[in-house]
Amino acid sequence: MELHDVWFVIIAVLWIGYFFLEGFDFGVGILTKLLARDRAEKRVLINTIGPVWDGNEVWLLTAGGATFAAFPEWYATLFSGFYLPLLIILVCLIVRGVAFEYRAKRPEENWQRNWEQAIFWTSLVPALLWGVAFGNIVRGVKIDADMEYVGGFWDLLNPYALLGGLVTLTLFTFHGAVFASLKTVGDIRERARALAFKLGLVTAVLALGFLIWTQVHTGDGGSLVAMLVAAVALVGAIGAIRAGREGWSFALSGVTIAAAVAMLFLALFPDVMPSSLDPEWSLTVTNASSSPYTLKIMTWCAAIATPLVLLYQSWTYWVFRKRIGTQHIADAH
Amino acid sequence: MNLALAPETLARWQFGITTVYHFLFVPLTISLAALTAGIQTAWVRTGKEKYLRATKFWGKLFLINIAMGVVTGIVQEFQFGMNWSDYSRFVGDIFGAPLAFEALIAFFFESTFIGLWIFGWDKLPKRIHLACIWMVSIGTILSAYFILAANSWMQHPVGYRINKERGRAELTDFWHVLTQNTALTQFFHTITAAFLVGGAFMVGISAFHLARKKHIPIMRTSLRLGLITLIIAGLGTAISGDLLGKVMFKQQPMKMAAAEALWDGEAPAPFSVFAYGDVEKGHNTVAIEIPGLLSFLANDDFSSYVPGINDVNKAEQEKFGPGDYRPNIPVAYWGFRWMIGFGMTSLGVGVIGLWLTRKKFMLAPGMRTGEDEVPNLVLFKRKALSPRLGRWYWIVALWTMAFPLIANSWGWIFTEMGRQPWVVYGVLRTRDAVSPGTSQGEVLTSMIVFTALYAILAVVEVKLLVKYVKAGPPELTEDDLNPPTKIGGDSRDPDRPMAFSY
């Protein structure tokens, strides 16, 4: 296994980490509208992700930085090509971060309601667009001999990619509902569980359609295995939430995300961004990667830093392991 | 196509706008994290309530500010790929590595521990909670180091070779990239300048309250801390600026010549106080100068030769082929002056402020002020400044808050624009760095969106800051005074409201 293959795996892992973690906080953001009955419940939901959403988002920044360093051509083609969707995602992430931090900084109800609206939309839109983006990456887009994206904005909105977007949207919302049932107490927990079950069924239909489509289109043996794992885990997660086993359900919905993302990357390999115009023009792990020296240095950095990151991020989840409910929300805000 | 709206021009404007905006928050984040950590340490060590209230007060302002710093930083990372894809392809092998290090080592650190600090007040024992804010502080400084190493490589590329086959620059010595003198002096200069911002921020806000005779014990302490920070940082900025100037003179003679509007080389070279010139003809029509000072700034002696703009332009034409290698001279010239002028004015305010509030005079017979009194602003041992003059100092202190920010912004504009037409000095021209595939409309859209969004958020942030500044330090609750002794903080009523939540 050469270093650029290792880095392909690392980047896949970073995206898995990102979708696993920010997946549930996007989901919780969406649920502020679907699940919370009153403003106190909204605040319970927001506070379940309060201490961790920022750390979750860094997985994206790391995936971006790692792509820049390990596969500069991929980074350049992807972000200059998917210009407008990326712009929308960035705007959402900016507003979302500010919304979390500023919502409670003023007591006026209008102020808080506006930020709550912002949290809902800025969670929903990226959750949808990431799926669209990955759908397009896996399916292949119009890339010319100079590795430049020559398609337009509307080329990105094809049925396969849009289905991918619906899958990430529903899957993250399901994942978020399971997380909410795991982190809350009282009435909201019961309703989170019931809603998670329904969301799970919708997710299952969409996800199976998308994954099978992917398998038929670009799959191989490895991606088939990952697909089966994702499918089994998703069914398990739905069953577990039905049975009231929230911890198990969350673990399994996490496995679903991990296996589904892994499947996309397996279907992609050894390309990183296939060209739909001519396979010769596809970006691959070899022609898009950095020099072996850079990859070596980065490998050392990742080998030392990653375990530490996992250690202190896990510790955060441990510190804030307690469930919260409306009784923990002070009346002041 | 209208040349003024060429994608390169738009992309440069967008980079300038997003970077200057981002860098209004970054220095305050860096310095306020450390200052808050320092005050919280004082609380943990002494148990004095005023330190705890000060921690909560400055901590809140820090959080309002860091939120903007974090979210505007996301744009910075992806902008290279969006607007500067040919740059990313050409230097990703080198430039990407410090960026990835920044994410892996600094961002994770900062963002994870900030969550622990915000929500951990009633979940973590005192000392562990204190450690969290120190971790945040270390994270912000590490982050600055990696990004400055990356930027320094653009100012002065080292540790690389050109791979003709792949048509790109490749890294050969990462250690050299991280430790070259450009990176180290830029880091020194940027960090000290960051503390100049934090010091002035603290001085201004403390002055605001003291002028109204409110929250006196907390604000007196904060004022002194701010003044001392301002002075140490001011001296550090001056020293590091001088070092950086000498490095810059050797590595980027054009930038130094442009900063001085020195058209033709001279020995000894004068420092220009005021100049007005004709860029097309390449000479100054008005010039007020201090003889020999530029030679000293560049070479540490008062008589040596410093090459001028025309000389360097000619030398670069011989080396890199025909073309105009001059940056925008008025911007470089005035940017350099605004940077130094506003930076040094802040230092001056700090020195005067510390002198006016020094203990010996504050405690002079007849002028004695106790712990709970506003310093009298004593000028002579027995004569206090008139109340009017006293108020003036508070107003000056308030205005000083803006000075380091202006100095910082001009510093970046100078250092980035002074390098043009190069994006990587001597290696890659800015016009060859833009994304070839993105349309004028796309770049224009994103520029308008970011500018509008940033403008709205700036108003929101400033209003919030003003609200919390005016409100002053918060009253303490019972939970504040008795933090949990074990992790999880579950020794008390499990249903009590969280101390600090969204």
Side-chain angles (χ1 to χ4, degrees):
Chain A
M1 201 165 171
E2 288 193 55
L3 276 180
H4 49 70
D5 301 333
V6 172
W7 273 91
F8 183 82
V9 175
I10 292 175
I11 284 167
V13 169
L14 288 169
W15 280 104
I16 289 172
Y18 177 63
F19 286 143
F20 182 110
L21 295 168
E22 188 122 290
F24 73 71
D25 71 52
F26 279 147
V28 169
I30 295 166
L31 291 175
T32 53
K33 209 148 238 184
L34 302 185
L35 180 64
R37 279 218 180 116
D38 54 31
R39 309 214 30 253
E41 287 195 349
K42 256 181 205 178
R43 294 193 56 209
V44 170
L45 286 175
I46 294 171
N47 277 297
T48 59
I49 54 171
V52 295
W53 71 268
D54 195 3
N56 294 349
E57 196 166 280
V58 176
W59 285 80
L60 169 68
L61 297 182
T62 310
T67 310
F68 196 171
F71 299 101
E73 308 280 0
W74 187 12
Y75 171 84
T77 307
L78 179 63
F79 293 127
S80 66
F82 292 11
Y83 197 96
L84 292 178
L86 185 68
L87 175 65
I88 298 170
I89 288 175
L90 290 181
V91 168
C92 286
L93 295 183
I94 291 174
V95 175
R96 189 170 186 261
V98 174
F100 283 132
E101 295 297 340
Y102 286 2
R103 199 204 68 93
K105 295 278 188 289
R106 288 185 83 97
E108 295 89 349
E109 200 174 313
N110 250 350
W111 168 273
Q112 300 200 351
R113 273 189 200 284
N114 287 340
W115 288 121
E116 284 157 13
Q117 287 284 355
I119 289 172
F120 170 75
W121 286 107
T122 56
S123 301
L124 183 139
V125 172
L128 178 79
L129 288 183
W130 282 127
V132 176
F134 267 81
N136 278 304
I137 292 174
V138 172
R139 171 176 165 270
V141 287
K142 293 176 184 164
I143 293 173
D144 69 6
D146 295 329
M147 297 185 173
E148 290 292 339
Y149 174 72
V150 290
F153 174 67
W154 300 106
D155 288 318
L156 300 175
L157 302 181
N158 54 77
Y160 173 76
L162 287 174
L163 179 60
L166 288 178
V167 170
T168 47
L169 178 61
T170 50
L171 183 56
F172 292 166
T173 315
F174 168 64
H175 191 45
V178 175
F179 181 78
S181 72
L182 182 65
K183 291 297 292 180
T184 53
V185 284
D187 185 42
I188 190 168
R189 175 182 176 188
E190 302 299 324
R191 277 183 289 121
R193 229 190 257 164
L195 181 63
F197 178 69
K198 286 183 214 152
L199 284 167
L201 296 180
V202 179
T203 307
V205 174
L206 293 169
L208 287 182
F210 179 71
L211 294 182
I212 290 169
W213 193 344
T214 308
Q215 180 63 26
V216 171
H217 186 64
T218 45
D220 58 14
S223 67
L224 182 67
V225 174
M227 187 187 99
L228 293 175
V229 173
V232 170
L234 183 55
V235 172
I238 297 167
I241 202 68
R242 182 77 168 160
R245 305 297 297 267
E246 292 147 355
W248 278 105
S249 183
F250 183 67
L252 286 168
S253 64
V255 172
T256 310
I257 291 177
V261 179
M263 179 195 174
L264 296 183
F265 275 88
L266 283 166
L268 203 54
F269 188 83
D271 288 343
V272 293
M273 232 178 142
S275 167
S276 60
L277 299 177
D278 183 343
E280 286 289 304
W281 297 340
S282 294
L283 274 68
T284 66
V285 288
T286 6
N287 72 16
S289 75
S290 284
S291 65
Y293 174 73
T294 296
L295 293 175
K296 194 177 106 189
I297 286 182
M298 301 255 301
T299 309
W300 276 106
C301 176
I304 295 166
T306 314
L308 281 172
V309 170
L310 289 174
L311 206 68
Y312 62 67
Q313 283 209 337
S314 319
W315 185 64
T316 308
Y317 285 88
W318 173 250
V319 169
F320 299 107
R321 66 192 178 278
K322 274 194 176 168
R323 291 172 181 270
I324 54 172
T326 42
Q327 70 269 34
H328 298 107
I329 301 298
D331 299 326
H333 296 304
Chain B
M1 189 176 64
N2 183 352
L3 195 65
L5 289 178
E8 183 202 336
T9 314
L10 289 171
R12 280 183 61 187
W13 271 107
Q14 184 176 331
F15 199 85
I17 291 168
T18 51
T19 307
V20 166
Y21 189 82
H22 177 55
F23 209 75
L24 293 176
F25 307 108
V26 170
L28 192 56
T29 299
I30 292 172
S31 50
L32 222 43
L35 290 169
T36 308
I39 301 170
Q40 193 174 344
T41 309
W43 173 60
V44 170
R45 294 193 66 113
T46 64
K48 284 188 189 165
E49 277 183 33
K50 72 168 182 182
Y51 289 127
L52 179 55
R53 290 183 65 198
T55 306
K56 294 227 157 186
F57 177 68
W58 296 110
K60 192 80 127 194
L61 300 180
F62 164 67
L63 290 178
I64 292 171
N65 179 71
I66 195 179
M68 298 292 287
V70 168
V71 296
T72 54
I74 304 173
V75 175
Q76 299 304 91
E77 180 181 316
F78 290 100
Q79 196 169 185
F80 295 111
M82 291 169 79
N83 289 343
W84 305 97
S85 68
D86 271 1
Y87 170 79
S88 307
R89 289 179 207 282
F90 190 76
V91 305
D93 197 75
I94 304 152
F95 191 81
L99 237 58
F101 272 57
E102 185 187 17
L104 267 169
I105 297 172
F107 287 166
F108 269 127
F109 225 68
E110 196 180 321
S111 57
T112 309
F113 284 99
I114 193 94
L116 280 158
W117 190 72
I118 300 175
F119 289 83
W121 283 96
D122 60 347
K123 293 271 188 294
L124 294 170
K126 248 183 186 179
R127 280 166 196 280
I128 295 180
H129 184 253
L130 172 64
C132 291
I133 185 80
W134 279 112
M135 294 293 203
V136 173
S137 174
I138 292 169
T140 59
I141 290 173
L142 276 174
S143 169
Y145 172 67
F146 284 118
I147 199 68
L148 289 171
N151 180 270
S152 299
W153 187 83
M154 295 165 77
Q155 307 287 349
H156 183 241
V158 294
Y160 75 103
R161 67 189 171 89
I162 299 291
N163 181 336
K164 287 236 165 66
E165 201 180 312
R166 292 282 300 252
R168 68 178 184 188
E170 287 184 353
L171 190 60
T172 54
D173 188 348
F174 190 53
W175 186 243
H176 195 183
V177 171
L178 289 183
T179 57
Q180 66 152 323
N181 57 4
T182 324
L184 298 178
T185 43
Q186 253 212 68
F187 174 66
F188 183 23
H189 193 52
T190 311
I191 292 294
T192 48
F195 277 89
L196 201 63
V197 175
F201 186 76
M202 225 172 218
V203 168
I205 290 170
S206 309
F208 172 80
H209 283 294
L210 288 174
R212 281 159 188 72
K213 301 195 193 307
K214 280 187 178 160
H215 315 294
I216 294 164
I218 293 169
M219 291 306 159
R220 256 176 79 140
T221 307
S222 301
L223 179 74
R224 299 282 294 185
L225 176 62
L227 287 168
I228 290 165
T229 308
L230 197 57
I231 291 170
I232 295 175
L235 293 174
T237 316
I239 294 167
S240 58
D242 182 51
L243 291 174
L244 189 57
K246 288 180 178 33
V247 169
M248 179 181 84
F249 167 73
K250 285 186 187 65
Q251 295 167 353
Q252 301 178 333
M254 178 60 97
K255 197 190 272 182
M256 185 60 135
E260 283 302 318
L262 180 73
W263 293 95
D264 298 299
E266 284 180 50
F271 179 87
S272 167
V273 180
F274 177 85
Y276 182 78
D278 187 332
V279 175
E280 286 312 309
K281 288 185 185 148
H283 70 82
N284 290 329
T285 42
V286 183
I288 303 168
E289 297 169 333
I290 303 172
L293 187 58
L294 181 57
S295 297
F296 178 77
L297 289 180
N299 292 325
D300 258 342
D301 67 54
F302 286 96
S303 58
S304 60
Y305 176 78
V306 177
I309 297 164
N310 297 332
D311 309 308
V312 184
N313 199 22
K314 219 165 129 194
E316 296 209 348
Q317 279 165 349
E318 275 163 26
K319 198 167 164 193
F320 302 111
D324 186 359
Y325 294 90
R326 298 175 304 175
N328 185 324
I329 312 259
V331 168
Y333 181 83
W334 289 110
F336 191 60
R337 263 145 203 80
W338 294 132
M339 172 183 77
I340 295 178
F342 279 101
M344 290 303 100
T345 308
S346 322
L347 171 61
V349 172
V351 172
I352 295 170
L354 198 67
W355 190 72
L356 287 175
T357 59
R358 65 192 152 151
K359 204 165 190 179
K360 189 176 135 199
F361 277 10
M362 279 201 298
L363 298 179
M367 295 298 149
R368 197 174 295 272
T369 61
E371 272 292 300
D372 296 344
E373 278 176 67
V374 181
N376 267 328
L377 295 188
V378 178
L379 190 57
F380 303 106
K381 273 191 180 171
R382 288 181 182 279
K383 278 188 190 160
L385 288 174
S386 71
R388 182 191 299 266
L389 206 54
R391 202 165 58 240
W392 268 106
Y393 184 76
W394 299 131
I395 291 170
V396 169
L398 207 55
W399 277 104
T400 309
M401 284 169 68
F403 291 175
L405 287 174
I406 299 171
N408 266 310
S409 300
W410 278 111
W412 274 113
I413 291 169
F414 163 65
T415 203
E416 296 297 280
M417 285 196 52
R419 182 189 45 188
Q420 300 302 330
W422 301 104
V423 63
V424 180
Y425 196 74
V427 177
L428 184 69
R429 271 173 247 211
T430 310
R431 64 158 190 257
D432 299 324
V434 288
S435 303
T438 54
S439 70
Q440 192 183 347
E442 283 174 327
V443 189
L444 191 61
T445 307
S446 68
M447 194 178 93
I448 292 170
V449 167
F450 283 133
T451 309
L453 180 64
Y454 281 5
I456 295 167
L457 292 179
V459 174
V460 172
E461 141 135 22
V462 169
K463 281 194 167 174
L464 268 186
L465 280 177
V466 168
K467 173 188 146 83
Y468 277 90
V469 165
K470 281 190 176 162
E475 295 302 325
L476 298 177
T477 64
E478 222 165 282
D479 273 358
D480 292 328
L481 296 169
N482 305 300
T485 47
K486 65 175 198 173
I487 292 170
D490 37 16
S491 52
R492 290 162 297 173
D493 173 17
D495 281 345
R496 75 186 196 294
M498 294 182 292
F500 209 91
S501 63
Y502 282 149

